Amino acid sequence: MGHAPSQPTDLISELLTGMRLHGVQYRRIQTGPTFGLGFSPKPGHAYFHYLAVGTAILRGADGSQHRLSAGDVVLLPRGEEHALLSGDEHPVQCLETIDAAPLGDAVSGIDTCPSTHAVPSAVLFHGCMVFDLGGMQGLSKVMPAVMLADGNGTQFPGLLPMVDAMKREVCSGRIGYAGILSRLADAVAAMIVRDWVERGCDGASGLVMAMRDPRLSLSLLALHRDPGRDWTVEALAAESNISRSVFADRFQTVIGTAPLRYVTELRMQLASQWLTHQSLPIEVVAERLGYASQAAFSRAYKRVIGHSPGTTRRGRALAST
């Protein structure tokens, strides 16, 4: 029985399923008419901002500026340094130095609005999260520094109901609103990334070209669904229903790496995710990914990631204490 002619949509769905936004900390922030909030660089993380009330200027580390209005959502997927300001010349204070009051699990509140102002001039919900793209991890390097979804929904119409829900939660202060906000923020960030992927990632990645290739998408879909299989170039070519040599050349040209190197890198990206966020034992990860021994897995992991799986596990343990 032959394969279906093309499954690029299935592949995109499979890759997005592996995306995880692990919440690190969220803050509800309200300010007076003037403010300057600085956000330090956090590699491997993403910054998320939702402006519920007021206006602001987002200034990047390179001096670029984006003017924000109520309802706008911003995702900075590479965790780059930036600032949110009421005006171009207002001094900036690092957010980490401002006292925050706990509002719930992993959520705190910051209020810089002077007591002489009955109503805050700006209210925003801010998040900083570990940005784990799973099988799409290579895309993080080519994502825009700033991904902006306007509050009017002209570019992201599907976000409007989510953004409306966020505004109600930010402004209501109802019981449990902080936890609901954090879940909404995760979903909105994922939707922004999905839209960018579906629009072709601005033509920035060979992986996206492969997603839309009727042949390569078949082999990639099979690989991402069963990364622990004993994959060979011949087996991958068979999934695409083309010859080994044609497949290898096409894969190298479109994605920019050899098929089996891609297999190994995908496995190690998944291994890092499982070790870090699911706390799976190293031997379980090795078995899931098809390695005959933990030693063989550890050698491959260190070659690709740069350190041993044990180091990843210890780093996770320290982060959770």
Side-chain angles (χ1 to χ4, degrees):
M1 181 180 294
H3 291 293
S6 175
Q7 301 180 47
T9 303
D10 288 348
L11 175 59
I12 293 172
S13 297
E14 190 76 19
L15 293 173
L16 287 170
T17 298
M19 183 172 65
R20 296 290 184 272
L21 300 170
H22 304 278
V24 177
Q25 55 183 353
Y26 288 97
R27 291 187 177 94
R28 181 190 186 276
I29 304 170
Q30 56 185 38
T31 75
T34 60
F35 58 90
L37 305 171
F39 301 85
S40 57
K42 290 205 177 249
H45 290 64
Y47 279 115
F48 173 92
H49 303 296
Y50 166 60
L51 187 62
V53 175
T55 61
I57 298 171
L58 187 148
R59 185 173 67 202
D62 60 358
S64 60
Q65 293 190 357
H66 303 267
R67 296 191 176 273
L68 309 180
S69 302
D72 286 353
V73 178
V74 184
L75 180 69
L76 292 90
R78 299 201 297 271
E80 294 187 353
E81 180 181 4
H82 62 288
L84 290 173
L85 311 104
S86 56
D88 293 342
E89 304 303 322
H90 196 78
V92 174
Q93 181 179 3
C94 178
L95 191 74
E96 302 297 330
T97 66
I98 303 176
D99 290 337
L103 298 176
D105 291 342
V107 184
S108 57
I110 290 177
D111 188 352
T112 64
C113 184
S115 58
T116 52
H117 291 257
V119 179
S121 298
V123 179
L124 62 101
F125 188 67
H126 151 72
C128 179
M129 59 197 79
V130 176
F131 194 47
D132 192 339
L133 286 170
M136 298 192 300
Q137 200 63 39
L139 292 182
S140 61
K141 297 177 182 178
V142 296
M143 282 183 170
V146 177
M147 303 171 80
L148 172 63
D150 67 282
N152 296 319
T154 54
Q155 184 178 0
F156 300 87
L159 285 181
L160 275 175
M162 304 285 288
V163 170
D164 287 343
M166 290 187 71
K167 183 170 184 177
R168 288 195 299 272
E169 295 298 330
V170 167
C171 297
S172 70
R174 295 175 62 188
I175 294 173
Y177 81 92
I180 293 173
L181 265 174
S182 66
R183 290 175 176 84
L184 287 170
D186 283 353
V188 169
M191 291 174 72
I192 292 173
V193 173
R194 180 183 66 182
D195 183 84
W196 181 73
V197 171
E198 288 180 336
R199 288 186 290 109
C201 304
D202 303 325
S205 171
L207 178 56
V208 176
M209 293 175 61
M211 289 180 194
R212 302 180 184 282
D213 185 298
R215 297 291 186 181
L216 291 183
S217 64
L218 293 170
S219 59
L220 286 171
L221 180 61
L223 169 59
H224 280 262
R225 284 180 170 171
D226 188 8
R229 178 177 161 185
D230 185 17
W231 288 108
T232 62
V233 177
E234 289 84 359
L236 289 167
E239 293 290 337
S240 291
N241 201 26
I242 53 180
S243 71
R244 180 190 185 284
S245 59
V246 170
F247 172 81
D249 289 345
R250 193 166 179 168
F251 197 99
Q252 179 75 49
T253 300
V254 173
I255 296 184
T257 189
L260 295 187
R261 181 177 178 84
Y262 182 91
V263 171
T264 301
E265 290 178 351
L266 171 64
R267 286 172 173 168
M268 297 309 110
Q269 289 164 7
L270 293 172
S272 179
Q273 182 184 92
W274 295 343
L275 290 168
T276 303
H277 302 299
Q278 297 185 26
S279 300
L280 293 181
I282 295 173
E283 59 271 20
V284 172
V285 174
E287 183 179 356
R288 276 193 184 184
L289 293 175
Y291 285 88
S293 69
Q294 185 176 323
F297 163 71
S298 296
R299 287 193 296 270
Y301 189 92
K302 186 172 183 179
R303 186 170 65 250
V304 173
I305 302 298
H307 57 256
S308 70
T311 300
T312 297
R313 289 272 295 173
R314 287 191 293 274
R316 165 64 177 172
L318 288 173
S320 62
T321 57

